[in-house]
Amino acid sequence: MAKARLVLEVMILLVVLAGNVSPWVLDVLEGSSSRYCLSWRLAVEANNMCAWRTVPPQCLHHVENYITGSQYRRDLDLIVDQIGAYVDGIDMSGDGMDAWILDVDDTCISNLLYYRGKRYGCDPYDALGFKAWAARSECPAIPAMLGLFRRLIEAGFKVILLTGRNEESLGEATVENLQSQGYIGYERLIMRSAAYRGQSAVTYKSAIRKQLVEQGYRIWGNIGDQWSDIQGEFAGNRTFKIPNPMYFVP
Amino acid sequence: MAKARLVLEVMILLVVLAGNVSPWVLDVLEGSSSRYCLSWRLAVEANNMCAWRTVPPQCLHHVENYITGSQYRRDLDLIVDQIGAYVDGIDMSGDGMDAWILDVDDTCISNLLYYRGKRYGCDPYDALGFKAWAARSECPAIPAMLGLFRRLIEAGFKVILLTGRNEESLGEATVENLQSQGYIGYERLIMRSAAYRGQSAVTYKSAIRKQLVEQGYRIWGNIGDQWSDIQGEFAGNRTFKIPNPMYFVP
């Protein structure tokens, strides 16, 4: 029996190496070579990695497979289910000040098409390249998040989109991109104005959230793909971190 | 070729079903049936699941395989590497007040043997059962964390162990357990005294950390397997969440 097993395992390897294998087999086999990358990605999502600059080169295919494959969508779906259960339990005031905060990039709309050209984050951050991409207003909606956005609005929440994008250079493009992708009916889109230039996302977003709370908004939830979206002051009654193994925003 | 592939895949299934397969093959094949559980575990570690009570029944084998297998150890190793890199960069004062805080249960020492009898968290929390287990002083050290503990002490940090265990009923057993497992040389072991009974871990641990900071300690790092170990006030300059998919402490 041991010999039969060895023969089978060698056959698996040969077929996989020849590229002649069903996606599901490839998918599960890929898991075995990417155990380090699984650990790395878990550490990123659990906020154990601080200020990482690029995806480790050996994790290029792992990150590509994850973010373009079904697991990323499943991970998002489960988080959105959790958010939904929380939303259902919120006792709203009816005064129109019950708010949610959503980040924009890789929370509402996806930069995956851009990051494909940056080897899914294995290449370092390219400020000019990203700006040129964002100016094209071609980020597609992340379907699970668009569904959640609509649900929040239907439930009567004021949805506030809060992004580190530069207001002056990317304001119009961002408004257009959000609208074309179906993000309609939000309360406000808050972008980074000159006063906040150079500040970390935590500092800038905390300052904005403080203003919102002072204006009377109750921040029931706050959703972002970066820990810097949901850390700091006035973070919200509950925060949710959606996955992003491609880049880190301080 | 399509037929050959089908034959191979059927063979894989048959051999797996017969139980005659190498652990690595089983391991990667297991991945395909546990995509939901991967999402669930990621959501737990990223603090997207709040106040969950038990492991979903369909994830029993996933959690068992994870926590008893190599991936948990790899995940820990990567976090400990990150902590080590951070420790190396700390400029210590030399006044003896540079401190680290470590949680005890499933951070320093493991309750895996106990949770095996609780279907790895699929059974609900059993306060009496856990107390009886902890009183036996038989929790083994988690090797990666014991190594880190020793490294912190050698580097000159004051390591403070902070646990929600009841001081009165489990004080002696905990001291004995830590000592027998090699946790020697810590600055203090702080357990829950009567004054903090009934408080959430966040409230209790924040209050203790506040006292430590008032006593002059600089909390450089804070490590726990629960988000409630590392949330709240005076959390520390950096916090680290080590994996625990078996239970949730509010």
Side-chain angles (χ1 to χ4, degrees):
Chain A
M1 284 303 270
K3 195 172 166 187
R5 189 174 71 185
L6 184 64
V7 167
L8 180 87
E9 288 172 1
V10 168
M11 278 179 69
I12 294 174
L13 285 176
L14 287 175
V15 174
V16 169
L17 289 173
N20 178 38
V21 65
S22 290
W24 73 268
V25 176
L26 201 64
D27 212 327
V28 294
L29 290 175
E30 197 267 344
S32 116
S33 67
S34 66
R35 293 181 175 283
Y36 169 78
C37 303
L38 266 179
S39 293
W40 179 82
R41 191 158 57 74
L42 184 71
V44 165
E45 295 305 331
N47 198 28
N48 288 322
M49 306 289 293
C50 196
W52 56 277
R53 294 175 64 85
T54 50
V55 171
Q58 68 268 40
C59 296
L60 168 59
H61 293 300
H62 174 87
V63 168
E64 177 178 7
N65 288 343
Y66 169 72
I67 199 82
T68 63
S70 63
Q71 194 62 41
Y72 170 65
R73 292 193 300 274
R74 284 167 187 264
D75 290 350
L76 269 181
D77 287 346
L78 187 138
I79 298 167
V80 168
D81 283 350
Q82 289 295 312
I83 297 172
Y86 168 58
V87 166
D88 287 344
I90 294 176
D91 189 14
M92 291 179 66
S93 66
D95 66 357
M97 300 305 277
D98 293 306
W100 276 73
I101 295 181
L102 273 62
D103 171 56
V104 173
D105 283 297
D106 294 301
T107 300
C108 290
I109 52 179
S110 172
N111 292 302
L112 187 55
L113 295 173
Y114 171 75
Y115 275 95
R116 189 169 61 185
K118 297 293 177 185
R119 298 192 303 142
Y120 298 97
C122 288
D123 292 344
Y125 180 63
D126 168 5
L128 286 179
F130 181 77
K131 195 174 154 188
W133 154 258
R136 286 164 55 187
S137 305
E138 289 173 6
C139 302
I142 296 177
M145 295 304 295
L146 179 58
L148 175 67
F149 170 88
R150 287 177 170 153
R151 180 173 174 177
L152 289 171
I153 289 189
E154 275 167 29
F157 289 99
K158 298 295 165 67
V159 176
I160 295 164
L161 305 181
L162 175 53
T163 171
R165 283 189 180 197
N166 186 294
E167 185 165 35
E168 198 183 358
S169 57
L170 290 174
E172 277 181 56
T174 304
V175 168
E176 186 188 315
N177 197 154
L178 288 165
Q179 168 142 10
S180 73
Q181 290 298 313
Y183 285 93
I184 291 162
Y186 52 81
E187 173 87 344
R188 289 168 67 183
L189 166 66
I190 303 176
M191 303 184 68
R192 192 191 288 262
S193 62
Y196 298 100
R197 205 160 297 163
Q199 290 185 2
S200 74
V202 171
T203 305
Y204 154 63
K205 293 195 168 185
S206 292
I208 299 292
R209 290 191 303 259
K210 182 167 190 279
Q211 293 167 25
L212 293 169
V213 169
E214 285 168 355
Q215 288 161 23
Y217 288 107
R218 285 175 294 280
I219 305 174
W220 285 100
N222 179 5
I223 310 173
D225 65 299
Q226 299 290 321
W227 278 97
S228 55
D229 293 329
I230 57 178
Q231 288 185 314
E233 294 184 293
F234 305 96
N237 188 52
R238 273 192 67 182
T239 62
F240 298 91
K241 167 71 175 75
I242 68 170
N244 185 350
M246 299 188 296
Y247 61 89
F248 174 90
V249 177
Chain B
M1 286 303 270
K3 196 173 167 191
R5 190 174 70 186
L6 185 65
V7 168
L8 180 87
E9 288 172 1
V10 168
M11 279 178 68
I12 295 175
L13 286 176
L14 287 175
V15 174
V16 170
L17 290 172
N20 177 37
V21 65
S22 290
W24 73 267
V25 176
L26 201 65
D27 212 327
V28 295
L29 291 173
E30 197 266 343
S32 115
S33 67
S34 66
R35 293 183 175 283
Y36 169 77
C37 303
L38 266 179
S39 293
W40 179 81
R41 191 159 56 75
L42 184 71
V44 165
E45 295 305 331
N47 198 28
N48 288 321
M49 306 289 293
C50 198
W52 56 276
R53 293 174 64 86
T54 50
V55 171
Q58 69 267 40
C59 296
L60 167 59
H61 293 299
H62 174 86
V63 168
E64 176 179 7
N65 288 343
Y66 170 71
I67 200 80
T68 63
S70 63
Q71 194 62 42
Y72 169 66
R73 293 193 301 274
R74 285 167 186 264
D75 290 350
L76 270 180
D77 287 344
L78 187 137
I79 298 167
V80 167
D81 284 349
Q82 289 295 311
I83 297 172
Y86 168 57
V87 166
D88 288 343
I90 295 176
D91 190 14
M92 292 178 67
S93 66
D95 66 357
M97 298 306 277
D98 294 303
W100 276 72
I101 295 181
L102 272 63
D103 171 57
V104 173
D105 282 299
D106 295 301
T107 299
C108 290
I109 53 179
S110 171
N111 292 302
L112 186 56
L113 295 172
Y114 170 76
Y115 275 95
R116 190 170 59 185
K118 297 292 177 183
R119 298 192 302 141
Y120 298 96
C122 288
D123 292 344
Y125 180 63
D126 168 6
L128 286 180
F130 181 76
K131 194 173 155 189
W133 154 257
R136 287 164 53 188
S137 306
E138 289 173 6
C139 302
I142 296 177
M145 295 304 295
L146 179 58
L148 175 66
F149 170 87
R150 288 177 170 154
R151 181 174 172 175
L152 289 171
I153 290 190
E154 275 166 30
F157 289 99
K158 297 295 164 65
V159 176
I160 295 163
L161 305 181
L162 175 53
T163 172
R165 284 189 179 196
N166 186 294
E167 185 164 35
E168 198 182 359
S169 57
L170 290 174
E172 275 181 58
T174 304
V175 168
E176 185 187 317
N177 197 155
L178 287 166
Q179 168 142 8
S180 74
Q181 290 298 313
Y183 285 93
I184 291 163
Y186 53 79
E187 174 86 345
R188 290 168 66 182
L189 166 65
I190 303 175
M191 302 184 69
R192 192 191 289 261
S193 62
Y196 299 100
R197 205 160 296 163
Q199 291 186 1
S200 73
V202 171
T203 305
Y204 155 63
K205 292 196 168 185
S206 292
I208 298 292
R209 290 191 304 258
K210 181 167 190 281
Q211 293 166 25
L212 292 169
V213 168
E214 286 168 354
Q215 288 161 23
Y217 288 106
R218 284 176 294 279
I219 304 174
W220 284 101
N222 179 5
I223 310 173
D225 66 299
Q226 298 290 322
W227 278 97
S228 55
D229 294 328
I230 57 177
Q231 288 185 314
E233 292 185 292
F234 305 95
N237 188 52
R238 274 192 66 182
T239 63
F240 297 91
K241 167 71 174 77
I242 68 171
N244 186 349
M246 299 188 297
Y247 60 87
F248 175 90
V249 178

